Amino acid sequence: MAEVAIGLFSALSAGAASAATAVGTGLAGAASAVGTGLTGLTAAGSSALGILQGVATVASVASTLVGGIGSAAEAETNARLAQISGDADALATQQKILDIKRDLAVKTGEARVAFAGSGLDISSASAVEGNLQDEADYQTAIEQQNAIQQKQMAALRASQYRSSGAVDLISASAKAIGQAGGYGLDIAKRG
């Protein structure tokens, strides 16, 4: 848009100067003054447009950087939430393991009471107690493995979030540098 306005003013000043030459020497001085005035107006407009373009570029660069920083911050928050989720899963697994041990104690007690109530020696319940203990150990091992896998998955998700945030920040920085460099090249082209 700025280039169109500058081109329009330049065309007006060139047209005014050539029309003055065609009309004659007396009017040529007046037309030349108008042309010079329009050229001065073009230069002033160009400076104002350059300043406005510079301000817009700075705002765009700042906006791009803030967006990248925001994405990185959001990714860090998501990473922390993933870690918290992993810790919560580990606590839930510990609760399940405690429940398994409590259930084992209840079943063992019930087996001893059943053997004692039937008139059998309580020590004869050892085979049943061994089976109950083996089952509890198996369930506990499964829960522990699940907890390890959940913790690893949470750590992996957290790492992915952090990597994504870093990529977003780097991308925003590169885009901002490109915007600033493009503005610098535009200024160099204008001279």
PDB file of all heavy atoms in Angstrom, residues 24-43:
ATOM      1  N   GLY A  24       5.183  26.057 -21.446  1.00  0.00           N
ATOM      2  CA  GLY A  24       6.054  27.195 -21.741  1.00  0.00           C
ATOM      3  C   GLY A  24       6.965  27.508 -20.581  1.00  0.00           C
ATOM      4  O   GLY A  24       6.830  26.958 -19.506  1.00  0.00           O
ATOM      5  N   THR A  25       7.851  28.423 -20.865  1.00  0.00           N
ATOM      6  CA  THR A  25       8.873  28.765 -19.902  1.00  0.00           C
ATOM      7  C   THR A  25       8.291  29.474 -18.691  1.00  0.00           C
ATOM      8  O   THR A  25       8.695  29.196 -17.569  1.00  0.00           O
ATOM      9  CB  THR A  25       9.933  29.691 -20.555  1.00  0.00           C
ATOM     10  OG1 THR A  25      10.315  29.125 -21.794  1.00  0.00           O
ATOM     11  CG2 THR A  25      11.108  29.851 -19.673  1.00  0.00           C
ATOM     12  N   GLY A  26       7.341  30.332 -18.874  1.00  0.00           N
ATOM     13  CA  GLY A  26       6.775  31.087 -17.762  1.00  0.00           C
ATOM     14  C   GLY A  26       6.048  30.180 -16.795  1.00  0.00           C
ATOM     15  O   GLY A  26       6.147  30.328 -15.580  1.00  0.00           O
ATOM     16  N   LEU A  27       5.290  29.287 -17.364  1.00  0.00           N
ATOM     17  CA  LEU A  27       4.564  28.364 -16.505  1.00  0.00           C
ATOM     18  C   LEU A  27       5.453  27.224 -16.027  1.00  0.00           C
ATOM     19  O   LEU A  27       5.132  26.579 -15.045  1.00  0.00           O
ATOM     20  CB  LEU A  27       3.363  27.786 -17.265  1.00  0.00           C
ATOM     21  CG  LEU A  27       2.259  28.793 -17.630  1.00  0.00           C
ATOM     22  CD1 LEU A  27       1.192  28.103 -18.454  1.00  0.00           C
ATOM     23  CD2 LEU A  27       1.669  29.401 -16.375  1.00  0.00           C
ATOM     24  N   ALA A  28       6.553  27.013 -16.713  1.00  0.00           N
ATOM     25  CA  ALA A  28       7.451  25.931 -16.338  1.00  0.00           C
ATOM     26  C   ALA A  28       8.012  26.146 -14.949  1.00  0.00           C
ATOM     27  O   ALA A  28       8.148  25.195 -14.162  1.00  0.00           O
ATOM     28  CB  ALA A  28       8.575  25.788 -17.339  1.00  0.00           C
ATOM     29  N   GLY A  29       8.340  27.358 -14.617  1.00  0.00           N
ATOM     30  CA  GLY A  29       8.855  27.639 -13.278  1.00  0.00           C
ATOM     31  C   GLY A  29       7.823  27.311 -12.216  1.00  0.00           C
ATOM     32  O   GLY A  29       8.133  26.730 -11.170  1.00  0.00           O
ATOM     33  N   ALA A  30       6.563  27.690 -12.463  1.00  0.00           N
ATOM     34  CA  ALA A  30       5.500  27.415 -11.492  1.00  0.00           C
ATOM     35  C   ALA A  30       5.242  25.923 -11.377  1.00  0.00           C
ATOM     36  O   ALA A  30       5.086  25.377 -10.286  1.00  0.00           O
ATOM     37  CB  ALA A  30       4.233  28.140 -11.904  1.00  0.00           C
ATOM     38  N   ALA A  31       5.194  25.243 -12.517  1.00  0.00           N
ATOM     39  CA  ALA A  31       4.957  23.807 -12.501  1.00  0.00           C
ATOM     40  C   ALA A  31       6.118  23.073 -11.850  1.00  0.00           C
ATOM     41  O   ALA A  31       5.921  22.082 -11.145  1.00  0.00           O
ATOM     42  CB  ALA A  31       4.733  23.297 -13.906  1.00  0.00           C
ATOM     43  N   SER A  32       7.325  23.580 -12.102  1.00  0.00           N
ATOM     44  CA  SER A  32       8.496  22.975 -11.474  1.00  0.00           C
ATOM     45  C   SER A  32       8.428  23.118  -9.962  1.00  0.00           C
ATOM     46  O   SER A  32       8.783  22.202  -9.221  1.00  0.00           O
ATOM     47  CB  SER A  32       9.764  23.624 -12.014  1.00  0.00           C
ATOM     48  OG  SER A  32      10.885  23.065 -11.385  1.00  0.00           O
ATOM     49  N   ALA A  33       7.937  24.268  -9.499  1.00  0.00           N
ATOM     50  CA  ALA A  33       7.783  24.466  -8.055  1.00  0.00           C
ATOM     51  C   ALA A  33       6.756  23.484  -7.490  1.00  0.00           C
ATOM     52  O   ALA A  33       6.938  22.913  -6.411  1.00  0.00           O
ATOM     53  CB  ALA A  33       7.375  25.897  -7.760  1.00  0.00           C
ATOM     54  N   VAL A  34       5.654  23.288  -8.244  1.00  0.00           N
ATOM     55  CA  VAL A  34       4.649  22.317  -7.810  1.00  0.00           C
ATOM     56  C   VAL A  34       5.261  20.915  -7.788  1.00  0.00           C
ATOM     57  O   VAL A  34       5.072  20.146  -6.845  1.00  0.00           O
ATOM     58  CB  VAL A  34       3.411  22.367  -8.728  1.00  0.00           C
ATOM     59  CG1 VAL A  34       2.476  21.203  -8.456  1.00  0.00           C
ATOM     60  CG2 VAL A  34       2.684  23.692  -8.556  1.00  0.00           C
ATOM     61  N   GLY A  35       6.012  20.596  -8.842  1.00  0.00           N
ATOM     62  CA  GLY A  35       6.659  19.286  -8.908  1.00  0.00           C
ATOM     63  C   GLY A  35       7.636  19.091  -7.766  1.00  0.00           C
ATOM     64  O   GLY A  35       7.691  18.027  -7.150  1.00  0.00           O
ATOM     65  N   THR A  36       8.394  20.110  -7.452  1.00  0.00           N
ATOM     66  CA  THR A  36       9.344  20.032  -6.344  1.00  0.00           C
ATOM     67  C   THR A  36       8.600  19.862  -5.025  1.00  0.00           C
ATOM     68  O   THR A  36       9.004  19.078  -4.161  1.00  0.00           O
ATOM     69  CB  THR A  36      10.234  21.301  -6.299  1.00  0.00           C
ATOM     70  OG1 THR A  36      10.880  21.422  -7.559  1.00  0.00           O
ATOM     71  CG2 THR A  36      11.245  21.212  -5.197  1.00  0.00           C
ATOM     72  N   GLY A  37       7.503  20.594  -4.911  1.00  0.00           N
ATOM     73  CA  GLY A  37       6.693  20.454  -3.691  1.00  0.00           C
ATOM     74  C   GLY A  37       6.132  19.052  -3.550  1.00  0.00           C
ATOM     75  O   GLY A  37       6.134  18.480  -2.462  1.00  0.00           O
ATOM     76  N   LEU A  38       5.664  18.500  -4.664  1.00  0.00           N
ATOM     77  CA  LEU A  38       5.136  17.137  -4.614  1.00  0.00           C
ATOM     78  C   LEU A  38       6.237  16.126  -4.314  1.00  0.00           C
ATOM     79  O   LEU A  38       6.020  15.166  -3.582  1.00  0.00           O
ATOM     80  CB  LEU A  38       4.439  16.794  -5.937  1.00  0.00           C
ATOM     81  CG  LEU A  38       3.058  17.432  -6.142  1.00  0.00           C
ATOM     82  CD1 LEU A  38       2.547  17.082  -7.524  1.00  0.00           C
ATOM     83  CD2 LEU A  38       2.085  16.980  -5.078  1.00  0.00           C
ATOM     84  N   THR A  39       7.438  16.370  -4.850  1.00  0.00           N
ATOM     85  CA  THR A  39       8.555  15.482  -4.569  1.00  0.00           C
ATOM     86  C   THR A  39       8.914  15.551  -3.094  1.00  0.00           C
ATOM     87  O   THR A  39       9.172  14.523  -2.455  1.00  0.00           O
ATOM     88  CB  THR A  39       9.782  15.843  -5.445  1.00  0.00           C
ATOM     89  OG1 THR A  39       9.381  15.787  -6.805  1.00  0.00           O
ATOM     90  CG2 THR A  39      10.923  14.884  -5.203  1.00  0.00           C
ATOM     91  N   GLY A  40       8.903  16.751  -2.534  1.00  0.00           N
ATOM     92  CA  GLY A  40       9.159  16.894  -1.092  1.00  0.00           C
ATOM     93  C   GLY A  40       8.081  16.186  -0.279  1.00  0.00           C
ATOM     94  O   GLY A  40       8.369  15.558   0.736  1.00  0.00           O
ATOM     95  N   LEU A  41       6.826  16.300  -0.733  1.00  0.00           N
ATOM     96  CA  LEU A  41       5.740  15.618  -0.060  1.00  0.00           C
ATOM     97  C   LEU A  41       5.916  14.109  -0.155  1.00  0.00           C
ATOM     98  O   LEU A  41       5.685  13.392   0.815  1.00  0.00           O
ATOM     99  CB  LEU A  41       4.406  16.043  -0.686  1.00  0.00           C
ATOM    100  CG  LEU A  41       3.137  15.429  -0.094  1.00  0.00           C
ATOM    101  CD1 LEU A  41       3.004  15.817   1.372  1.00  0.00           C
ATOM    102  CD2 LEU A  41       1.922  15.879  -0.877  1.00  0.00           C
ATOM    103  N   THR A  42       6.380  13.642  -1.296  1.00  0.00           N
ATOM    104  CA  THR A  42       6.647  12.216  -1.459  1.00  0.00           C
ATOM    105  C   THR A  42       7.729  11.766  -0.510  1.00  0.00           C
ATOM    106  O   THR A  42       7.615  10.724   0.126  1.00  0.00           O
ATOM    107  CB  THR A  42       7.064  11.910  -2.922  1.00  0.00           C
ATOM    108  OG1 THR A  42       6.023  12.358  -3.774  1.00  0.00           O
ATOM    109  CG2 THR A  42       7.304  10.439  -3.114  1.00  0.00           C
ATOM    110  N   ALA A  43       8.793  12.538  -0.377  1.00  0.00           N
ATOM    111  CA  ALA A  43       9.879  12.171   0.532  1.00  0.00           C
ATOM    112  C   ALA A  43       9.381  12.154   1.966  1.00  0.00           C
ATOM    113  O   ALA A  43       9.686  11.243   2.749  1.00  0.00           O
ATOM    114  CB  ALA A  43      11.038  13.151   0.383  1.00  0.00           C
TER     115      ALA A  43
END
